[in-house]
Amino acid sequence: MIASQALRLQKIRTIACWLTALSLLVVLLSAWLRLAAAGLGCADWPACYAQLLSSEPPAQAFGPLRLLHRATASLALLLVCHLAWLCWRRPSLPSPARPASALVLLVLALAVLGFWSSDPRLVLVSFLNILGGLGLVSFSWRVALASRPEAMLGRAVKARPGPPRRLLQLGSAALSLTLILGALIGARYEALACLSLPDCMGHWWPTADGWAAMQVFAALNGPPPAGEAGGISLHLLHRWSALLTLLLLGGAAWQALADGATRKAAMALLLLLPAQVMLGALTVISGFSLWLAVAHACCAAVLLATLVSLLRR
């Protein structure tokens, strides 16, 4: 690899690492603004929860946190465009260029969604914003990993046995489902649907009424009632999916400890998986503490990036 290309890769990797940190800050600020507006941590809990759905959305107040969020997101957009240009200018670097191109499309899509983000009643918009923030962290970290010298040289990596790879793939699918269900719970303001642990208002599995009531992308006309059947079903599916993710990814990470190339990522995954489950449980036990809910959202983004590291080894 020529020296100029090596310096270019180093620059791409440095920018991608900064962009990952910046994307994580965007996730943190977005979660705080969304959950605080929803009423988590309000004085009259739970009566004050989701009251913003009862009327037309008010004009947004541009306080320090919202201004910081806008500035951070704008800076992330500029860095993404610069990163994509560095990857695609001749001679192009296809390995980091592919996730960088996905990043460009993602930030543009999130910018378009911003036109409707002020209305919390639009479930699909909130849902895509939540998943989009996680995608920003994931794809930024993918660029950082793809710009490593060994990734560019195509260095042979010691083959791993089949079971961890299969477990990783199944665990990745389970984690994706868990994140999707969690995003739906947040987008639909369903915190009050399930205030108990480990059961959910006396239920352990979604009922027939619950499946029928899960109109996941229907616009909201008011706060969802406590104990709503559709909300209970979403919570239960999220919990069972999280348990399956813990077992599958925990098993894969445990086996990956035997490989020196994957040991650090596997150890991080083994720490983050129970931490994420604990944060979710503590959020419910605490009566949906704002700080714990935000930490739960941020831990999900870090968990996703760690899984990306393990999959690329």
Side-chain angles (χ1 to χ4, degrees), residues 144-164:
L145 294 175
S147 57
R148 296 174 302 160
E150 57 268 32
M152 296 299 301
L153 291 171
R155 185 176 299 173
V157 180
K158 183 171 65 175
R160 283 180 286 163

Side-chain angles (χ1 to χ4, degrees), residues 250-271:
W254 183 261
Q255 295 185 54
L257 287 173
D259 189 341
T262 60
R263 188 170 295 125
K264 288 183 179 179
M267 289 180 64
L269 199 62
L270 286 172
L271 291 173

Side-chain angles (χ1 to χ4, degrees), residues 141 145 264-270 272 299-311:
W141 188 239
L145 294 175
K264 288 183 179 179
M267 289 180 64
L269 199 62
L270 286 172
L272 286 168
C299 189
V302 177
L303 180 61
L304 189 58
T306 305
L307 177 60
V308 169
S309 296
L310 198 57
L311 287 169

Side-chain angles (χ1 to χ4, degrees), residues 35-186:
L35 295 173
L40 264 68
C42 57
D44 193 22
W45 174 268
C48 53
Y49 179 68
Q51 291 304 309
L52 75 171
L53 302 174
S54 302
S55 59
E56 291 293 322
Q60 289 185 342
F62 286 90
L65 282 181
R66 189 168 296 280
L67 288 174
L68 179 59
H69 176 261
R70 292 286 179 93
T72 306
S74 299
L75 180 57
L77 174 59
L78 293 176
L79 283 179
V80 166
C81 294
H82 182 54
L83 196 63
W85 176 79
L86 284 174
C87 293
W88 281 113
R89 71 181 178 90
R90 296 184 180 181
S92 63
L93 304 170
S95 182
R98 285 188 288 270
S101 300
L103 263 177
V104 172
L105 294 176
L106 180 58
V107 295
L108 291 177
L110 288 173
V112 172
L113 280 175
F115 288 106
W116 296 279
S117 296
S118 60
D119 191 346
R121 299 170 300 178
L122 301 178
V123 176
L124 181 59
V125 173
S126 299
F127 170 74
L128 292 177
N129 269 318
I130 295 171
L131 291 186
L134 298 176
L136 278 178
V137 176
S138 174
F139 281 106
S140 299
W141 188 239
R142 284 175 187 267
V143 176
L145 294 175
S147 57
R148 296 174 302 160
E150 57 268 32
M152 296 299 301
L153 291 171
R155 185 176 299 173
V157 180
K158 183 171 65 175
R160 283 180 286 163
R165 172 59 61 175
R166 288 195 291 271
L167 279 176
L168 274 176
Q169 291 170 343
L170 291 172
S172 299
L175 178 60
S176 299
L177 178 60
T178 305
L179 295 177
I180 288 171
L181 291 168
L184 281 173
I185 291 170

Side-chain angles (χ1 to χ4, degrees), residues 227-281:
E228 184 192 30
I232 289 176
S233 297
L234 281 177
H235 275 274
L236 288 172
L237 288 173
H238 179 65
R239 292 179 184 182
W240 284 114
S241 180
L243 179 60
L244 181 62
T245 300
L246 177 66
L247 295 175
L248 291 174
L249 286 184
W254 183 261
Q255 295 185 54
L257 287 173
D259 189 341
T262 60
R263 188 170 295 125
K264 288 183 179 179
M267 289 180 64
L269 199 62
L270 286 172
L271 291 173
L272 286 168
L273 282 168
Q276 179 69 345
V277 172
M278 187 177 300
L279 282 171

